[in-house]
Amino acid sequence: MTAAIDYEAFRAEVRDFALTRCPPDLREAVVKLKKQGRHEMLTWQKILYAKGWGAPGWPREHGGTGWDLRQRHIFDETLAECDCPTQPYQALRHIAPVLIAFGTDDQKARYLPPMLRGEAHWCQGYSEPGAGSDLASLKTAAVLDGDHYLVNGQKVWTTGAHEADMMYALVRTSREAKKQQGITMLLIPMDSPGLTVREIRTIDGIHNVNEVFFDNVRVPVANRVGEEGKAWDYGKFLLSHERLGGANVAPLIRLLARTRRMVAEEYATRPDHPRKADLDRRLLRAEAEMQGVQALGRRAIEDMVAKRPLGAVSSVIKLVSSNLMQALDEIGLDATGHRLAARFRVVGEGGANAAEDGIWWLRNFMHGRARTIYGGSSEVQKNVLGRTLFGAEFATQPMRPGDLQDAARRLAEAFDARFGRLAQVAERQALQAGTWREIVGLGWPGLVIPEAAGGAGGTLGDVAALVEGAARGALALPVAACCGVAAALLADAPALLEQVAAGRATVAPAFAALHGIESGTGFAARWQGEVPLLSGSLVGVEAPPGATHVAIACDMEGEAVILAVAVDDPRIAWRRHERLDNRPSLDLGFGGGTALPGTVLVRGPAAAAATRRALQTGQLLGCVEAVAAMGAVLEQTIAYLSTRVQFDAPLATQQVLRHRVADLFVAQEAMRAQVTALLDAVAEGVWPDRGIALARLHIGPAARRFAASVIQLHGGMGMTEELPATRLNKRLLMLEFEYGDAAAEETRLLAAA
């Protein structure tokens, strides 16, 4: 039996090795965003080879480690976290797996050992003028001449060709009806007669890419990989073999940390500079969005380990991570550009002005423009996604699948089918009242209440499933507030909690810090002896028809207190509203001072803890609602564009609209992964406080942008109340203003930094 692998011990071993054995000058080069070329890669490769870690992805019989996928990911992630150079990936991770699978024994014996020992540097000869993303259009020709091929043509954007010993190149050996056929892979020594390398001057001032010209270059037939004309299949094999690389988002995380440190150092003597405040906000937003791509990376690893298909996740990670890297590059430019942009180069010297501290941030910004071009441009990635989204019937994936979510969705869809036809507020509220009674009868408000208090003893994940299903079906009722948040707020109020579990009470939670403003009249609470005295008003409290109580979390003279007031208590002025998203809400007016004896449920530290947990519950369930509603409205938008005909063709045939839908899908997928990871953490007993706050910061404004884009994609129909998508969009717009808006969250997080 194979012994179980201690992955955390393995991670610690890799980290210790990286921090103690990677030369400081190499790590400094990575930190300063310098070019990683032949010297850096091969120096580090020799060290890894001596340790026995030279080829994590190779099988043992060829000198590899034999590690499983999770170990390989940990290895890559940890080296990136420790600022180590990359390994010579063109050799180890691109051509080597192809040689192992399709090469001859002689090719393996000749080329693999030097790669492993760090003695040979390779480059890739794929792209050509007119054949970049459309690689199958390549024209570089190889004609058989005895036991050699004569190669003529040109390659372009060839990274590291000026430093390489060998190139693996795709060449055309025949013209077939299908352009993917007739392509052959050759291994070409870079010192071959007739081969010329010419530098391409790029905007970052670094010599990294080249043109390579072939003028009757003779390549032995023995250097052909596999069969003639079959290289397209080998290229697809290479891509499938290197799926792991896209899941490693550690370089992105490290870039965030470096950028944040640079901003602090750049403005150390000017901490109050308005530019620093702007940069800090942008860094925080980048961190919030980065949670999603981290979660996507972890999910991709788990899918690969379980041998599940990756689907579109590789394209999603590429799009999100490249955009985030460019956002960080731009922060670097804005932080240092005022000091360095005017002195980028010394006259008479090539490259950037290396003498200037921080010049690499300008260089990195310029180089970073290519992040959305190489490895499949963003536009090509969106084309790929568009084919998936508008192919077979598309459905987004749920976060918490199962019977609870299915039941909630069925109830919600039945509700919305009737709700959308009702024009009068009174009619809508009558339907809401009847549906809420049905929800109470199903026991949803007691789902997460402990069994000792008469509830079902469910988990937050169970409530999340209800919230997700209800949101996908556009249920205009406060499932999250009254089935999740209220239970958290009443955790130490057993009497009222038991009434909720028994279906005799429905409690609407209210947070004075969020609801306590109306026309400039603020809410205030103080003690009158042992009796609460409330003044001002609480507004916009989400409450279903038939709510029996409002639980108010407030501060009274520095002490956290939770009160419960009966709805329609005559001492309080009540006003009912319909919210932007058609849900019912209440205003509570206390005038100049209303004494409310007998309303205190909990006070002191217990009240503070319950309030904090209830707010977090609301924020997390709000994120669940947002992601679920986005998924539903995305499905409806795809269906609409696929059937709506304009100028004699479905709207879905227009590339610009397909790209906009691809953008929506990418955003929803990243946020779905982000929220799923948070729910998983809570299920394991860990409440990721900062993670929830960052998700709230990111998803609230993103939901607004999502809704606005969907309205635009629906054209005039997006402005009507006829479509279910319209009601989902209104819910997305409202979510930003619940449980603290994004600006408040941002201010709090920045203050805590």
Side-chain angles (χ1 to χ4, degrees):
M1 179 181 292
T2 303
I5 298 170
D6 186 337
Y7 291 107
E8 289 311 307
F10 176 72
R11 185 187 297 274
E13 181 186 6
V14 175
R15 181 178 299 279
D16 179 69
F17 181 83
L19 294 175
T20 58
R21 296 298 304 279
C22 185
D25 61 316
L26 295 188
R27 294 179 63 206
E28 182 183 12
V30 174
V31 169
K32 292 190 174 181
L33 308 172
K34 292 182 178 179
K35 175 194 139 185
Q36 295 181 50
R38 179 187 182 99
H39 168 72
E40 290 78 14
M41 291 185 188
L42 295 190
T43 299
W44 180 227
Q45 178 62 21
K46 289 179 173 70
I47 295 170
L48 291 172
Y49 169 70
K51 174 67 174 174
W53 291 351
W58 293 11
R60 283 197 175 94
E61 58 265 31
H62 293 291
T65 60
W67 290 339
D68 66 21
L69 280 170
R70 190 172 282 112
Q71 284 176 294
R72 289 162 54 191
H73 176 67
I74 290 171
F75 179 77
D76 289 345
E77 187 176 60
T78 305
L79 293 189
E81 290 170 351
C82 295
D83 300 318
C84 298
T86 58
Q87 291 181 270
Y89 57 92
Q90 299 283 21
L92 295 170
R93 303 198 176 195
H94 290 184
I95 186 58
V98 176
L99 290 178
I100 290 170
F102 304 106
T104 65
D105 290 341
D106 179 69
Q107 288 170 345
K108 296 172 189 175
R110 182 177 179 185
Y111 295 117
L112 294 180
M115 293 180 195
L116 191 60
R117 295 192 298 264
E119 296 170 354
H121 200 52
W122 286 68
C123 64
Q124 180 190 77
Y126 277 19
S127 294
E128 299 181 4
S133 297
D134 183 17
L135 187 58
S137 295
L138 64 87
K139 293 182 174 59
T140 295
V143 178
L144 192 61
D145 181 25
D147 59 358
H148 284 72
Y149 286 99
L150 286 180
V151 181
N152 287 278
Q154 178 188 356
K155 297 295 179 180
V156 72
W157 309 120
T158 311
T159 301
H162 59 298
E163 300 179 313
D165 303 298
M166 294 290 298
M167 170 191 286
Y168 59 99
L170 296 183
V171 297
R172 187 164 295 283
T173 48
S174 65
R175 302 272 174 195
E176 310 290 343
K178 188 176 181 181
K179 63 184 181 180
Q180 286 82 0
Q181 297 173 343
I183 297 175
T184 299
M185 181 178 286
L186 297 179
L187 310 178
I188 305 176
M190 294 301 290
D191 60 358
S192 300
L195 188 153
T196 304
V197 177
R198 182 182 300 164
E199 176 186 359
I200 296 176
R201 296 179 60 200
T202 52
I203 59 177
D204 56 7
I206 297 173
H207 182 189
N208 196 37
V209 295
N210 307 270
E211 296 175 285
V212 181
F213 298 89
F214 304 89
D215 182 10
N216 284 329
V217 174
R218 296 181 65 81
V219 180
V221 172
N223 282 24
R224 184 187 69 211
V225 178
E227 299 179 50
E228 185 174 287
K230 298 293 186 181
W232 194 257
D233 294 334
Y234 307 151
K236 289 192 293 185
F237 169 83
L238 187 156
L239 291 174
S240 66
H241 188 86
E242 187 46 27
R243 295 178 303 166
L244 191 65
N248 180 17
V249 298
L252 177 60
I253 298 166
R254 290 300 296 157
L255 181 59
L256 172 65
R258 290 187 203 114
T259 309
R260 182 167 272 151
R261 185 167 60 245
M262 176 274 294
V263 168
E265 292 171 354
E266 189 76 17
Y267 292 90
T269 60
R270 299 167 293 162
D272 297 326
H273 196 289
R275 188 183 295 113
K276 183 178 186 300
D278 173 66
L279 296 172
D280 285 342
R281 284 192 293 270
R282 288 158 61 187
L283 284 165
L284 192 63
R285 292 181 200 129
E287 181 187 357
E289 190 171 355
M290 203 170 292
Q291 278 195 144
V293 76
Q294 283 181 272
L296 281 169
R298 288 192 292 268
R299 192 183 84 194
I301 294 298
E302 295 305 318
D303 285 344
M304 283 186 277
V305 169
K307 295 182 169 31
R308 293 188 292 264
L310 284 179
V313 70
S314 297
S315 290
V316 173
I317 290 175
K318 171 67 165 62
L319 287 163
V320 176
S321 60
S322 58
N323 287 337
L324 274 171
M325 280 191 162
Q326 287 187 340
L328 293 171
D329 293 341
E330 191 165 348
I331 291 172
L333 175 70
D334 288 344
T336 61
H338 64 287
R339 179 169 61 83
L340 298 172
R343 295 179 292 161
F344 186 61
R345 285 192 181 94
V346 177
V347 175
E349 298 181 11
N353 187 356
E356 290 293 340
D357 184 50
I359 198 72
W360 50 85
W361 289 100
L362 273 67
R363 193 173 58 214
N364 198 55
F365 171 82
M366 305 299 278
H367 175 75
R369 300 306 89 198
R371 299 187 196 277
T372 48
I373 300 171
Y374 60 62
S377 72
S378 292
E379 290 71 25
V380 170
Q381 300 287 348
K382 291 175 187 179
N383 283 343
V384 172
L385 290 176
R387 287 194 293 270
T388 300
L389 297 171
F390 289 95
E393 186 174 347
F394 172 77
T396 55
Q397 297 301 307
M399 292 169 285
R400 285 294 182 266
D403 292 343
L404 283 172
Q405 196 223 113
D406 292 342
R409 185 170 183 175
R410 287 194 299 270
L411 183 147
E413 288 174 344
F415 167 90
D416 190 64
R418 297 173 60 193
F419 192 83
R421 297 194 297 267
L422 302 177
Q424 301 299 318
V425 173
E427 294 176 317
R428 294 197 291 268
Q429 291 193 341
L431 176 61
Q432 288 169 324
T435 304
W436 188 258
R437 286 192 295 271
E438 184 179 354
I439 286 172
V440 172
L442 291 169
W444 291 7
L447 178 61
V448 78
I449 293 174
E451 293 181 6
T459 66
L460 183 69
D462 295 329
V463 177
L466 290 179
V467 169
E468 183 177 15
R472 289 184 63 83
L475 180 64
L477 284 167
V479 176
C482 295
C483 301
V485 179
L489 195 60
L490 300 176
D492 291 301
L496 187 52
L497 205 59
E498 288 172 7
Q499 291 185 52
V500 173
R504 296 192 300 272
T506 291
V507 177
F511 300 90
L514 305 179
H515 295 102
I517 301 173
E518 180 189 21
S519 303
T521 303
F523 172 85
R526 61 186 178 85
W527 293 109
Q528 191 177 63
E530 290 297 311
V531 175
L533 183 68
L534 309 187
S535 59
S537 57
L538 296 175
V539 302
V541 177
E542 188 181 18
T548 60
H549 296 78
V550 175
I552 304 171
C554 60
D555 179 272
M556 296 183 63
E557 300 175 9
E559 182 182 25
V561 180
I562 299 173
L563 314 172
V565 297
V567 172
D568 292 329
D569 183 322
R571 296 169 295 181
I572 301 170
W574 298 88
R575 181 180 296 174
R576 288 170 168 78
H577 297 277
E578 185 178 66
R579 307 191 326 168
L580 173 65
D581 57 2
N582 299 121
R583 296 187 179 192
S585 69
L586 295 171
D587 289 356
L588 291 71
F590 305 101
T594 300
L596 296 170
T599 58
V600 176
L601 295 177
V602 191
R603 59 189 292 183
T611 299
R612 183 169 60 253
R613 184 52 47 84
L615 277 170
Q616 286 182 322
T617 299
Q619 290 177 333
L620 183 51
L621 292 178
C623 291
V624 171
E625 276 200 78
V627 171
M630 288 180 203
V633 80
L634 178 60
E635 293 170 6
Q636 293 173 25
T637 301
I638 290 170
Y640 175 82
L641 295 176
S642 298
T643 55
R644 179 77 169 180
V645 175
Q646 196 171 84
F647 303 114
D648 301 320
L651 289 172
T653 61
Q654 298 184 26
Q655 186 186 59
V656 64
L657 300 183
R658 292 166 77 96
H659 280 199
R660 288 195 71 166
V661 171
D663 286 334
L664 295 178
F665 171 73
V666 168
Q668 197 267 347
E669 271 289 282
M671 287 183 275
R672 181 173 71 88
Q674 181 177 15
V675 176
T676 300
L678 294 172
L679 289 172
D680 289 346
V682 172
E684 293 171 4
V686 178
W687 278 80
D689 297 353
R690 184 174 178 83
I692 293 173
L694 287 170
R696 182 69 187 79
L697 171 65
H698 172 52
I699 292 175
R704 179 195 296 197
R705 293 191 298 269
F706 199 100
S709 187
V710 167
I711 291 169
Q712 181 70 26
L713 285 167
H714 278 83
M717 292 300 294
M719 298 297 295
T720 73
E721 292 276 6
E722 296 179 24
L723 299 178
T726 300
R727 294 184 287 282
L728 288 165
N729 284 332
K730 290 166 72 174
R731 179 64 188 139
L732 289 173
L733 293 170
M734 186 72 203
L735 279 162
E736 187 175 358
F737 306 110
E738 296 178 351
Y739 304 107
D741 64 12
E745 206 62 68
E746 184 178 79
T747 300
R748 185 181 70 81
L749 288 168
L750 287 171

